[in-house]
Structures are given as C-alpha cells and as structure tokens.
Amino acid sequence: MDLHALQQFLVVAELEHLSGAAERLRVAQPSLSRTIARLETELGAPLFDRGGRLRLNEAGQRFREHVERSLGELQAGRRAVAELTREGFGSVRLASETFLTVTGPLAAFKQAHPDIDVQLYQLPASDMHRALHAREADLCVASQPIPEDGLHSLPIHDEQVWLAAPPGHRLAGRSSVAVGELRDEPFVAPRPGHWQRRLLDQLFNAVSLTPRIVCEGDEPAATAALVSAGIGLTLIPAMALQADVYAPVAWLAVDNTACRRTLTLHRAADAHLSTAARLMHTTLATWPLGTAGDQPRK
C-alpha cells in the first residue's frame, strides 16, 4: 500500500468517477483501475459499489477517513520538520465561510508577522470537520455549528442579526418585527448551506412557515443593493453593518432571541500546530470582533 495509491484513491473517492479521476490525475484510466483493484485486494474488501455508477461504499467511506487523516499527519510532519530546520514560525492555513469576519485580525497578524505565510481557504461549514481532521486546514472559523468530536472549539464572537428592508417598505419605519409578519414577504438569500440561509429557515420553521425566496445566490456584496432595489428582504449580521459597503436600506430587529450569529474558532484537538498557527489562534481568540456594537449605522 504505497502513498501514490492512497492519493489516487482519494481522488476517485471524491469524484466517484474513474475517467474523471484519471483526467485530474493525468494517468491512464486502465492504470487507475488496476491501482484501485490492488488496493481492494490488499484490504480484502471492495471500496466501491459498481452497479451502474461508481459509488463509495461503507468500507470505502471508513477507509477514506483514515487515509485523509494519515496523509494529513504526514503533511503536518513535513511542515513541522521544515519549521524546525528553518528555525522559523512556519505557515498557517485558515479556513472560513467568509473572510469579511476576519479581515481585522488578519491585517494585524500580517503587520506583526510579515514573514509568516498565511494561506486562506473559503470553505462551507459542512466541510470543516473533515478538513481539520485531514490536516488540510490548521484553523477554521465557522458561523454555524459543526461536529465537535476531536476538535477544540472556542466561541470568539456573538452578535445580533438584523433584517434589512427597502427604504420605502411598509416595515421601514418599524424598530422590530415578528417572523410571522414576514410570511408573504420576498427574501434575497444565500444558497442552502450558508449560515444566513440556515438561520432564515430556522426562524421560519419555528413558526411553521417557509420563507419565500425570490433571489438565491452567492454574491453577498450584491445582497444589500438588491434589497435597496426592492427585490426582497434579507438578514445581515451586526458586524457587517459597520462597513460602509451597503446601499440604503432600513434595519429592523427580529423579535426572536435566536436571530443571532456565533463565530467559533476550531482546531483539531490532537494536531501539532506550527508556531504560526498558534500565533494566529491567539490573535483570533483575543481580537475584539464587532467592537462597534450591535447597532446599525444611521
């Protein structure tokens, strides 16, 4: 069982498509098929179901978890040796759902440690647990819960989430609104999986309603402009309101104590963090996020 075969297995497991994996790996498909077959023979069990389309089976899923962890540890070992031999700080890999939340501490970190290599990855929360255990990321900042088994998790910020409405909207003069009053309102929202969409769905589910989504996308910078144009309403965290990037909208509090966001900093509990990663962890853990408060700009 060689390293090359394990790396190829991970690509096949990700794509569940031999020809696609062969193209990405730049190897011949018959050669890749033989590699997977030898791996299965050595393990004494098939890793994929081959009824029509290639599918990773239960054994394959279990094996994939261990392979990702093992290769991640190997890469972490290489980085640890490089850090030791160079007598430097090493590098740090940070994943976040959005980087708007961490631009302040990142700027301060780079100013204090200009020689440290910082690698940033935009990652959905659903991928963070795996990425940390596979050592693909040193630290993750999530705006929604992720499985915490094997992780060290530290809440670093809690803030109110506001409802944004067009300036001339019927609710524009109000200071707050109940979710039930929004049953027929159109919403501009991110795609499922994003923390704002998850919060919106939870708020409506709590009163046995479903939000009416009229615009679904992945362009946060355009959201407030769409709201200002009258397309619909949206949810905006207090931290984002401190930036002068939003078009004219009316801000309302939602009458539900669950309409908040908690940012949590995660790392693998058993991981060896480089000096750079430890410094970044300290910076994020102690940085005064959202110090301007929970009130939107007037």
Side-chain angles (χ1 to χ4, degrees), residues 69-103:
R69 192 171 295 119
S70 299
L71 295 184
E73 285 291 349
L74 178 60
Q75 181 61 26
R78 288 172 173 164
R79 294 173 68 220
V81 171
E83 178 185 350
L84 181 65
T85 55
R86 290 198 305 264
E87 298 182 350
F89 292 117
S91 61
V92 55
R93 298 164 299 173
L94 173 65
S96 182
E97 293 163 284
T98 171
F99 293 114
L100 182 62
T101 58
V102 293
T103 51

Coordinates of all heavy atoms in Angstrom, one line a residue, residues 69-103:
R69 N -6.8 11.3 7.2 CA -6.1 11.6 8.5 C -4.6 11.2 8.4 O -3.8 12.0 8.8 CB -6.8 10.8 9.6 CG -6.4 11.3 11.0 CD -7.2 10.7 12.1 NE -8.6 11.2 12.0 CZ -9.6 10.3 11.8 NH1 -9.4 9.1 11.7 NH2 -10.8 10.8 11.7
S70 N -4.3 10.1 7.8 CA -2.9 9.7 7.7 C -2.1 10.6 6.8 O -1.0 11.0 7.2 CB -2.9 8.2 7.2 OG -3.5 7.3 8.1
L71 N -2.6 10.9 5.6 CA -1.9 11.8 4.7 C -1.8 13.2 5.3 O -0.8 13.9 5.1 CB -2.6 11.8 3.4 CG -2.6 10.5 2.6 CD1 -3.2 10.7 1.2 CD2 -1.2 9.9 2.5
G72 N -2.8 13.6 6.0 CA -2.8 14.9 6.7 C -1.7 14.9 7.7 O -0.9 15.9 7.9
E73 N -1.5 13.8 8.5 CA -0.5 13.8 9.5 C 0.9 13.8 8.9 O 1.8 14.4 9.4 CB -0.6 12.5 10.4 CG -1.8 12.6 11.4 CD -1.5 13.6 12.5 OE1 -0.3 14.1 12.6 OE2 -2.4 13.9 13.3
L74 N 1.0 13.1 7.7 CA 2.3 13.1 7.0 C 2.7 14.5 6.6 O 3.8 14.9 6.7 CB 2.2 12.1 5.8 CG 3.5 12.1 4.9 CD1 4.7 11.6 5.7 CD2 3.2 11.1 3.7
Q75 N 1.7 15.2 6.0 CA 2.0 16.6 5.6 C 2.3 17.5 6.8 O 3.2 18.3 6.7 CB 0.7 17.1 4.8 CG 0.9 18.5 4.3 CD 2.1 18.7 3.3 OE1 2.4 17.7 2.6 NE2 2.6 19.8 3.2
A76 N 1.6 17.3 7.9 CA 1.9 18.0 9.1 C 3.3 17.7 9.6 O 4.0 18.7 10.1 CB 0.8 17.7 10.2
G77 N 3.7 16.5 9.5 CA 5.1 16.2 9.9 C 6.1 16.8 9.0 O 7.1 17.3 9.5
R78 N 5.9 16.9 7.7 CA 6.8 17.6 6.8 C 6.9 19.1 7.2 O 8.0 19.7 7.2 CB 6.3 17.4 5.4 CG 6.5 16.0 4.8 CD 5.8 15.9 3.5 NE 6.1 14.6 2.8 CZ 5.4 14.1 1.8 NH1 4.4 14.8 1.3 NH2 5.7 13.0 1.3
R79 N 5.7 19.7 7.5 CA 5.7 21.1 7.8 C 6.4 21.3 9.2 O 7.1 22.3 9.3 CB 4.3 21.6 7.9 CG 3.6 21.6 6.6 CD 2.1 22.0 6.7 NE 1.9 23.3 7.1 CZ 1.1 23.8 8.0 NH1 0.3 22.9 8.6 NH2 1.0 25.0 8.3
A80 N 6.3 20.4 10.1 CA 6.9 20.5 11.4 C 8.4 20.5 11.3 O 9.2 21.2 11.9 CB 6.4 19.4 12.4
V81 N 8.9 19.5 10.5 CA 10.4 19.4 10.2 C 10.9 20.7 9.5 O 12.0 21.2 9.9 CB 10.7 18.1 9.4 CG1 12.1 18.1 9.0 CG2 10.4 16.9 10.2
A82 N 10.1 21.1 8.5 CA 10.6 22.3 7.8 C 10.7 23.5 8.8 O 11.6 24.3 8.7 CB 9.6 22.6 6.7
E83 N 9.7 23.6 9.7 CA 9.7 24.7 10.6 C 10.9 24.6 11.5 O 11.6 25.6 11.8 CB 8.4 24.7 11.5 CG 8.4 25.7 12.5 CD 7.2 25.6 13.4 OE1 6.3 24.8 13.1 OE2 7.1 26.3 14.5
L84 N 11.2 23.4 12.0 CA 12.4 23.2 12.9 C 13.7 23.5 12.2 O 14.5 24.2 12.8 CB 12.3 21.8 13.4 CG 13.4 21.4 14.4 CD1 13.2 22.2 15.7 CD2 13.4 19.9 14.7
T85 N 13.9 23.0 11.0 CA 15.1 23.2 10.3 C 15.4 24.6 9.9 O 16.5 25.1 9.8 CB 15.2 22.2 9.1 OG1 14.1 22.5 8.2 CG2 15.2 20.8 9.5
R86 N 14.3 25.3 9.6 CA 14.4 26.7 9.1 C 14.5 27.6 10.4 O 14.8 28.8 10.2 CB 13.2 27.1 8.2 CG 13.2 26.5 6.9 CD 12.3 27.3 5.9 NE 11.0 27.4 6.5 CZ 10.0 26.6 6.2 NH1 10.2 25.6 5.3 NH2 8.8 26.8 6.7
E87 N 14.2 27.1 11.5 CA 14.1 27.9 12.8 C 13.2 29.1 12.6 O 13.5 30.2 13.0 CB 15.5 28.3 13.2 CG 16.5 27.2 13.5 CD 17.8 27.6 14.0 OE1 18.1 28.8 13.8 OE2 18.6 26.8 14.4
G88 N 12.1 28.9 11.9 CA 11.2 30.0 11.7 C 9.8 29.7 12.3 O 9.7 28.8 13.1
F89 N 8.8 30.4 11.9 CA 7.5 30.3 12.5 C 6.6 29.3 11.7 O 5.6 28.8 12.2 CB 6.8 31.6 12.5 CG 7.3 32.6 13.5 CD1 7.9 33.8 13.0 CD2 7.3 32.4 14.8 CE1 8.4 34.7 13.9 CE2 7.9 33.3 15.7 CZ 8.4 34.5 15.2
G90 N 7.1 28.9 10.5 CA 6.2 28.0 9.7 C 5.1 28.8 9.0 O 5.2 30.0 8.8
S91 N 4.1 28.1 8.7 CA 2.9 28.7 7.9 C 1.6 28.4 8.7 O 1.6 27.5 9.6 CB 2.9 28.2 6.5 OG 2.7 26.8 6.5
V92 N 0.6 29.0 8.2 CA -0.7 28.7 8.8 C -1.8 28.7 7.8 O -1.8 29.5 6.8 CB -1.1 29.8 9.9 CG1 -1.0 31.2 9.4 CG2 -2.5 29.5 10.5
R93 N -2.7 27.8 7.8 CA -3.8 27.6 6.9 C -5.1 27.8 7.6 O -5.5 27.1 8.5 CB -3.8 26.2 6.2 CG -2.5 26.0 5.4 CD -2.3 24.5 5.2 NE -2.2 23.7 6.4 CZ -2.2 22.4 6.5 NH1 -2.3 21.7 5.4 NH2 -2.1 21.8 7.6
L94 N -5.8 28.9 7.2 CA -7.1 29.3 7.9 C -8.2 29.1 6.9 O -8.2 29.7 5.8 CB -7.0 30.7 8.3 CG -8.2 31.4 8.9 CD1 -8.7 30.7 10.2 CD2 -8.0 32.9 9.1
A95 N -9.3 28.5 7.3 CA -10.5 28.3 6.5 C -11.6 29.1 7.2 O -11.8 29.1 8.4 CB -10.9 26.9 6.3
S96 N -12.5 29.7 6.4 CA -13.6 30.4 6.9 C -14.7 30.4 5.9 O -14.5 30.3 4.7 CB -13.2 31.9 7.3 OG -14.3 32.6 7.8
E97 N -16.0 30.5 6.3 CA -17.1 30.6 5.4 C -17.0 31.9 4.6 O -17.4 32.0 3.4 CB -18.4 30.5 6.1 CG -18.7 29.2 6.8 CD -19.8 29.2 7.8 OE1 -19.5 29.7 8.9 OE2 -20.9 28.8 7.5
T98 N -16.6 33.0 5.3 CA -16.5 34.3 4.7 C -15.3 35.0 5.4 O -15.1 34.8 6.6 CB -17.7 35.2 4.8 OG1 -17.4 36.5 4.4 CG2 -18.2 35.2 6.3
F99 N -14.5 35.8 4.6 CA -13.3 36.4 5.2 C -13.6 37.8 5.7 O -12.8 38.5 6.3 CB -12.2 36.4 4.2 CG -11.7 35.1 3.9 CD1 -11.9 34.5 2.6 CD2 -11.1 34.3 4.9 CE1 -11.4 33.2 2.4 CE2 -10.6 33.0 4.6 CZ -10.8 32.5 3.4
L100 N -14.9 38.3 5.5 CA -15.2 39.7 6.0 C -15.1 39.7 7.5 O -14.8 40.7 8.1 CB -16.6 40.0 5.5 CG -17.1 41.4 6.0 CD1 -16.2 42.5 5.4 CD2 -18.6 41.6 5.6
T101 N -15.4 38.5 8.1 CA -15.4 38.4 9.6 C -14.0 38.5 10.2 O -13.9 38.8 11.4 CB -16.1 37.1 10.1 OG1 -15.4 36.0 9.5 CG2 -17.5 37.1 9.6
V102 N -13.0 38.2 9.4 CA -11.6 38.1 10.0 C -10.6 39.0 9.4 O -9.4 38.9 9.6 CB -11.1 36.6 9.9 CG1 -11.9 35.7 10.8 CG2 -11.1 36.1 8.5
T103 N -11.1 40.0 8.6 CA -10.1 40.9 7.9 C -9.3 41.7 8.9 O -8.1 42.0 8.7 CB -10.8 41.8 6.9 OG1 -11.9 42.4 7.6 CG2 -11.3 41.0 5.7

